[in-house]
Amino acid sequence: MANKPLPVILRKFVFRDTLLPHDVPYLDQDIDRGQDSAAVRLIKIGSAASQTLKPENQGKIPGYFVMSTAPPNVEETKELQESEWQDAAQGVQEIARHLYDICHQSGEDIPNAELMIAVHGYNSSRSSVRDWYKTIFQYINRHDPAIPGHGNQVFIGYRWPSESIEVQRLGEALRSLPPLPRDLMLTGWFGALFLIFFELTTFRDTVAGVAIAFLLTLLLGLSTIIATLIILRMVVYFRDLYRAQNFGVLDLVELLRQIDRAMVNLKADELNQQQTHGDEPCPDQENPCDEATKIWQQAQRKIKLSFLGHSMGGFVVTNVVRILSDVFDSRSIDHQPPVDVGSVFQLERLILTSPDIPILTIVSSRTNFLSSSLRRFAESYLFSNEGDLALRVASATANYFAFPSSSQEMGYRLGNVALKSSHGDPRDYGIINLSELDGHFLYDGSSIAEAVARNPSQAMDHLFLTYNRFRSSGYNTLAKLWQKRIVASQPDFENNPTEQKQSIMTIADLFTYFDCTDYKDVTWSLQGQSDLKPKGLLTRANRKKALGWWDYFWLMVDGMLGKRDVHGGYFQGKFTQEMIYRIAFLGFTGYLKTLDDDPTMAFDAHVALSKLHMRCQELGIQSFLSPIRYRVNIQGQNISDNKQELLEVIDQESTEILQSDKMMAILKNEGFEVIEK
């Protein structure tokens, strides 16, 4: 069955200095406009030039720019030309062929094929997204020799239809305002001006003047409400969220579905050729695609699928994974969902930087899109910082209108979490739970659940959202939020110490955290080091217990002056760029091997981890290492067994909370039909 047309524009990244004169006419002149001198260019997939590119032109890790064709406004929808449909289909075939050839390379040392997809965040113009993906392509192919060593990967930079905040959009916002609020706003403004005139000239110090003043206040208030709606539209947050959820997610799902199908078709073609030449005939001669699907589903060497999601891109990624799981896997409602999605993919790494995802997703026992994703990935990482004003102010304020929360804390986003610290204590930096992991995970024969239970250092106890200087407890940790949720469901919980049970493990334990609030480093790009002196890249890096309002004010000033990027500074520092891209393309063990690179010594994961700890400590980064990472990547144990055991304990503890007598009574009183098993 033929695939439906793919609703994306697909281009290939190439290095400009390796292009030949006959390649130039096929370079993209729309998306890549004004990039004649750029080191990396975009070339059309369907061109003859793109089919004859040498490896040095396209890089050892081929890269593709994929852009959803959904427009910023529905009125601007345009039908793609037939050539674009063909280019997209041919691009899918090219990606599938490259991955397929890697999968069929012989040799024990040949790693699995990998597809790495980067997804940008909110308020991102097409040119800024294009430039970021070009930077990644150039970084992994020419700057960092450790990444493209095996040549087993393909990189995709995916752009969903985001738009940037621009003052010029005010006219569009006013034109699209519905008649009733538009007329109310205009009536309020003109009525207010008229009443001000009479108030100042005729009715001062009279009863009529007081009445006019009251009416004036009412009209101004009404106009202000409508003006606030216009401002909310101009910050494009809700518009971007709608486009991300309804266009960006679905178009990326369709791209992956078609790559999956193309891989199956390639295997079916191979089976047909074997049948034609008399080699091991296909058992199902009538439908080789069915047999090819079975072979892929049972294959040991699947394609590892990894994602790097920034800001709202994290929301896109986790929803894509949820849909892929629901579409492909009838066991997605199981308590131990497999890592496989589709016929050919296996979820590998999830890297989120300042994710615009509700904090509820890791402090709730309810099933949600992030929880579903974390259960399936082999590795999960979260980069955040306390001074992220884009999330702490802009996103939290916008979601105040839409997110169903009755408390301030639940309105924050996952990218707002930070790790607790003491003023000026160097022990607060580096991998802060390293000594506990070394001490409690070395018991022979103990399960990961037992090791975590012995460990007094839990992720939820260290992660916090806000800090109250007038309370003895100070930090408002995620553990406290978790406990509040239990108290809400069990009113007697707080007053009955015998019933108080802090959840030992939660879904938060699947993340490895990097808090970059106090990160100091040189600003670095592919063009070279910009600053000779290290500085705070996301905040002023004053190493405080917690940031106060005065700190946020100066961060706002610094942001307006362009001194630091509180939301995306991770991609400006030399160390964090290296760490993020190496983890994304090499995995945690691969990254540690680049740190412990003495050729005269055998690789020692403990030594490499200590080097990472000392480097983070030196640069002011706090990290909390997931127990899974320590057990698997440092102690070398099997990930499937340990992860399944951890998930079983998490589910068991969540079930105990949900099935408590108090919770059951509440659900029954609210009209739910409760079936106890």
Side-chain angles (χ1 to χ4, degrees), residues 332-392:
S332 61
I333 60 174
D334 195 357
H335 290 296
Q336 288 83 38
V339 297
D340 299 336
V341 290
S343 301
V344 306
F345 291 119
Q346 172 183 306
L347 293 176
E348 186 67 12
R349 292 181 289 278
L350 173 66
I351 301 99
L352 300 178
T353 59
S354 287
D356 191 359
I357 295 173
I359 196 66
L360 176 72
T361 52
I362 62 172
V363 296
S364 172
S365 54
R366 289 182 61 86
T367 301
N368 57 74
F369 57 89
L370 178 61
S371 173
S372 174
S373 297
L374 287 179
R375 291 168 176 269
R376 296 174 181 275
F377 281 98
E379 303 179 20
S380 302
Y381 306 89
L382 174 62
F383 290 79
S384 63
N385 83 91
E386 189 186 353
D388 194 333
L389 290 173
L391 296 180
R392 189 169 289 273

Side-chain angles (χ1 to χ4, degrees), residues 500-672:
Q500 291 191 20
K501 179 190 177 190
Q502 173 67 42
S503 180
I504 295 175
M505 283 176 285
T506 66
I507 204 72
D509 287 293
L510 299 179
F511 267 125
T512 290
Y513 300 87
F514 293 95
D515 177 4
C516 300
T517 302
D518 293 321
Y519 171 50
K520 274 189 174 183
D521 202 352
V522 293
T523 303
W524 186 91
S525 68
L526 289 170
Q527 287 69 44
Q529 185 172 306
S530 301
D531 298 318
L532 298 177
K533 184 179 179 181
K535 67 173 185 178
L537 294 179
L538 294 115
T539 71
R540 293 195 168 191
N542 292 324
R543 299 203 173 193
K544 296 184 175 182
K545 269 192 171 185
L547 301 181
W549 284 108
W550 193 243
D551 299 299
Y552 290 118
F553 170 77
W554 285 115
L555 284 179
M556 194 175 299
V557 173
D558 291 344
M560 289 187 292
L561 296 177
K563 289 185 176 181
R564 51 184 50 84
D565 185 352
V566 297
H567 193 53
Y570 317 96
F571 304 106
Q572 297 176 359
K574 184 176 183 180
F575 176 72
T576 46
Q577 284 188 78
E578 177 185 275
M579 178 164 56
I580 290 172
Y581 294 146
R582 285 186 177 182
I583 289 177
F585 285 89
L586 301 177
F588 196 63
T589 297
Y591 173 52
L592 292 179
K593 287 181 178 179
T594 66
L595 301 178
D596 186 30
D597 56 356
D598 188 347
T600 63
M601 301 290 290
F603 171 67
D604 188 324
H606 288 87
V607 172
L609 187 65
S610 297
K611 289 183 178 181
L612 175 60
H613 166 68
M614 290 186 290
R615 188 62 176 148
C616 288
Q617 197 172 58
E618 176 187 349
L619 296 174
I621 296 176
Q622 293 177 280
S623 176
F624 194 95
L625 189 67
S626 169
I628 285 286
R629 295 278 67 73
Y630 191 87
R631 179 54 62 96
V632 174
N633 301 99
I634 306 304
Q635 296 185 322
Q637 296 197 15
N638 180 272
I639 185 172
S640 299
D641 296 340
N642 283 276
K643 188 174 181 182
Q644 180 173 343
E645 181 185 348
L646 187 62
L647 289 174
E648 287 175 352
V649 175
I650 292 173
D651 290 335
Q652 178 62 32
E653 294 184 354
S654 298
T655 301
E656 289 176 3
I657 294 172
L658 290 173
Q659 291 186 347
S660 64
D661 294 339
K662 297 277 192 306
M663 175 63 83
M664 290 298 196
I666 291 173
L667 292 175
K668 290 177 180 178
N669 291 336
E670 291 181 356
F672 290 94

